[in-house]
């Protein structure tokens, strides 16, 4: 059956980078990938056209799609919108919420060709390949009660760190299954010495472990995990954690690779429906210049093929094509180094497409 793909270019560099990723998607269609590709507005561009960051039409298309490819949303142009519900990022949160995208996969991979771009010593990051599995729809970012209120003559701000067993179990299963497909090591990150919610988290992970006897489960407190990520990142294979810890650790892990322009991500629900997007934002400082790195978005298409469309061979082909252009010394400005050739967004897209066809 023909599956639907929705492309949401978004704002800033979004349209430039999704244009290149869409060319790769078209090349996959030419190789038999049976999908219908549509586009819709999200974020600031949707607000400008319809007064809403998530127009009803976009939401309907998103619900009907097997997979969504997003560029990025937001930018200074919309930072002064007073009604917070109309801000571009609300559009993105709305899609996540309506589709129940609870499983956020954030790979941190150091390409051997780019190891010297890291802020850590090359030997610490060469060959780095971590998969952070972050719970995306629960935890303290959504817990009730929350707010700021007057208590005993002063204002008090409060949030609630809450996870149910079923929420922990479903993200735990995503992580265990991921570990089974990789190096079979899973590190669950919590703060079980202080937070009850994460004592439960740890218990549920332990309860699941016997169902995945080939996976070695370990536990780490989040403060230690932050230290270990910077001290010896290659000790990790798959990391599973809650929403807030995952937000912070995945950004730190991304920076270890030295090139935010290279990192894709996936957000999945229970049926395998997913949204795929680069880890970076809309880069308004370079928007419209044709110099943005499209590789994180192109690699997001590879994740889409692997996790929502069950086309691992095409995914590997895209990843190999990206490896080939890096081997050939092509670099966009953000990853440029001595002895490499600096290319534009479109030239990088051309090169990946050519390598994809030639493989
Ligand atoms: P950013 O990731 O957009 O940019 C940070 C720096 O990295 C900038 O100097 C930018 O030029 C550079 N950069 C990012 N992606 C690049 C690429 N593909 N190629 C070359 N250089 C690249 O983060 P920033 O500046 O904090 O946020 C800018 C806007 O993006 C804000 O409005 C923010 O809210 C939004 N944003 C949106 C996200 C999303 O849609 N998922 C995620 C993060 C930020
Ligand atoms: Mg973040």
């Amino acid at each position: 059956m023909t599956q639907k793909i929705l492309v949401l270019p978004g704002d800033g560099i979004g349209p430039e980078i999704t244009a290149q990723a869409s060319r790769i998607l078209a090349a996959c269609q030419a190789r038999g990938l049976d999908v219908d590709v549509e586009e819709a507005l999200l974020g600031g561009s949707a607000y400008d056209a319809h007064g809403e960051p998530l127009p009803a039409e976009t939401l309907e298309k998103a619900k009907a799609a097997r997979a969504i490819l997003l560029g990025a949303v937001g930018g200074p142009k919309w930072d002064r919108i007073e009604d917070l519900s109309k801000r571009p990022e609300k559009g993105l949160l709305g899609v996540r919420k309506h589709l129940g995208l609870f499983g956020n996969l954030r790979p941190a991979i150091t390409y051997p060709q780019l190891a010297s771009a890291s802020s850590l010593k090359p030997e610490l990051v060469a060959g780095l390949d971590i998969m952070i599995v972050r719970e995306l729809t629960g935890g303290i970012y959504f817990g009730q009660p929350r707010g700021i209120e007057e208590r005993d003559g002063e204002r008090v701000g409060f949030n609630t760190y809450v996870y149910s067993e079923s929420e922990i179990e479903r993200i735990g299963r995503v992580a265990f299954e991921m570990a089974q497909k990789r190096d079979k090591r899973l590190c669950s990150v919590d703060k079980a010495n202080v937070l009850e919610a994460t004592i439960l988290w740890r218990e549920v992970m332990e309860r699941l472990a016997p169902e995945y006897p080939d996976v070695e489960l370990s536990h780490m407190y989040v403060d230690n995990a932050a230290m270990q990520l910077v001290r010896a990142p290659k000790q990790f294979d798959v990391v599973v954690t809650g929403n807030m810890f995952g937000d912070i650790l995945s950004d730190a892990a991304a920076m270890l690779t030295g090139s935010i322009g290279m990192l894709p991500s996936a957000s999945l629900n229970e049926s395998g429906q997913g949204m795929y997007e680069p880890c970076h934002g809309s880069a308004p400082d370079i928007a419209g210049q044709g110099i943005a790195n499209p590789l994180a978005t192109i690699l997001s298409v590879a994740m889409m093929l692997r996790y929502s469309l069950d086309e691992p061979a095409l995914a590997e082909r895209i990843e190999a094509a990206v490896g080939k252009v890096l081997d050939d010394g092509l670099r966009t400005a953000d990853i440029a180094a001595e002895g490499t050739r600096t290319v534009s967004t479109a030239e990088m897209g051309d090169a990946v497409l050519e390598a994809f066809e030639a493989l």
Side-chain angles (χ1 to χ4, degrees):
M1 195 190 75
T2 307
Q3 312 220 61
K4 290 199 165 97
I5 309 255
L6 180 63
V7 178
L8 300 171
D11 309 318
I13 60 170
E16 300 165 54
I17 55 182
T18 51
Q20 299 310 317
S22 293
R23 293 171 72 198
I24 288 284
L25 204 49
C28 292
Q29 284 177 291
R31 286 179 181 273
L33 178 70
D34 186 13
V35 291
D36 261 349
V37 184
E38 272 194 303
E39 274 198 20
L41 293 173
L42 181 78
S45 55
Y47 176 82
D48 289 348
H50 301 289
E52 293 288 341
L54 176 53
E57 189 194 335
T58 299
L59 183 58
E60 283 320 304
K61 285 182 177 171
K63 285 180 179 165
R66 174 68 181 165
I68 300 167
L69 180 70
L70 168 71
V73 297
K77 185 176 170 201
W78 301 283
D79 282 348
R80 279 188 302 272
I81 299 175
E82 274 186 23
D83 179 352
L84 290 185
S85 73
K86 305 277 187 201
R87 293 266 181 98
E89 42 280 25
K90 288 291 175 196
L92 179 55
L93 290 174
V95 175
R96 278 185 192 158
K97 183 165 154 267
H98 283 285
L99 272 56
L101 304 175
F102 70 91
N104 186 210
L105 310 181
R106 294 267 310 246
I109 295 172
T110 308
Y111 285 82
Q113 303 91 336
L114 304 175
S116 62
S118 175
S119 49
L120 295 190
K121 295 188 200 102
E123 64 268 27
L124 286 181
V125 292
L128 182 74
D129 183 356
I130 303 176
M131 178 67 84
I132 297 190
V133 178
R134 167 188 171 195
E135 201 290 326
L136 200 58
T137 54
I140 194 165
Y141 290 176
F142 295 92
Q144 297 287 347
R146 60 192 296 157
I148 302 174
E149 64 183 35
E150 197 74 28
R151 288 183 198 165
D152 300 326
E154 65 171 339
R155 289 194 306 154
V156 175
F158 55 97
N159 292 87
T160 303
Y161 194 123
V162 55
Y163 271 117
S164 68
E165 278 186 293
S166 57
E167 281 177 313
I168 302 169
E169 179 170 335
R170 67 180 184 177
I171 193 72
R173 290 196 184 282
V174 169
F176 274 106
E177 282 164 27
M178 180 63 62
Q180 281 184 320
K181 290 184 211 137
R182 294 172 43 106
D183 207 18
K184 305 193 171 34
R185 288 178 296 122
L186 175 61
C187 179
S188 172
V189 171
D190 59 38
K191 189 76 182 170
N193 51 342
V194 178
L195 299 175
E196 284 80 1
T198 71
I199 294 177
L200 184 66
W201 178 282
R202 197 176 272 221
E203 272 178 33
V204 173
M205 292 295 160
E206 281 295 331
R207 174 163 65 70
L208 294 177
E211 293 182 47
Y212 306 89
D214 50 333
V215 175
E216 181 197 315
L217 173 68
S218 62
H219 304 276
M220 205 179 266
Y221 297 139
V222 62
D223 43 348
N224 187 28
M227 280 200 292
Q228 296 301 330
L229 258 185
V230 180
R231 190 188 68 86
K234 282 190 263 183
Q235 68 185 284
F236 296 106
D237 176 28
V238 179
V239 173
V240 63
T241 190
N243 203 343
M244 178 170 62
F245 297 159
D247 186 6
I248 300 164
L249 292 181
S250 62
D251 272 18
M255 283 324 289
L256 296 179
T257 70
S259 32
I260 190 88
M262 297 293 303
L263 295 172
S265 75
S267 306
L268 297 165
N269 69 15
E270 269 140 331
S271 69
Q273 190 183 21
M275 177 151 74
Y276 297 83
E277 56 178 312
C279 286
H280 58 71
S282 60
D285 53 331
I286 58 164
Q289 297 178 27
I291 59 169
N293 187 346
L295 293 179
T297 316
I298 289 172
L299 291 166
S300 298
V301 173
M303 288 189 91
M304 173 191 286
L305 289 161
R306 183 170 289 123
Y307 297 115
S308 285
L309 300 173
D310 200 19
E311 293 278 359
L314 283 172
E316 275 162 35
R317 195 181 181 97
I318 293 175
E319 287 159 354
V322 168
K324 170 75 167 61
V325 301
L326 294 176
D327 282 342
D328 290 347
L330 269 64
R331 303 283 189 273
T332 42
D334 56 309
I335 51 174
E338 242 181 75
T340 62
R341 184 155 76 83
T342 304
V343 296
S344 68
T345 310
E347 285 168 330
M348 188 56 104
D350 292 342
V352 175
L353 206 54
E354 196 179 308
F356 179 87
E357 296 297 354
L359 275 166

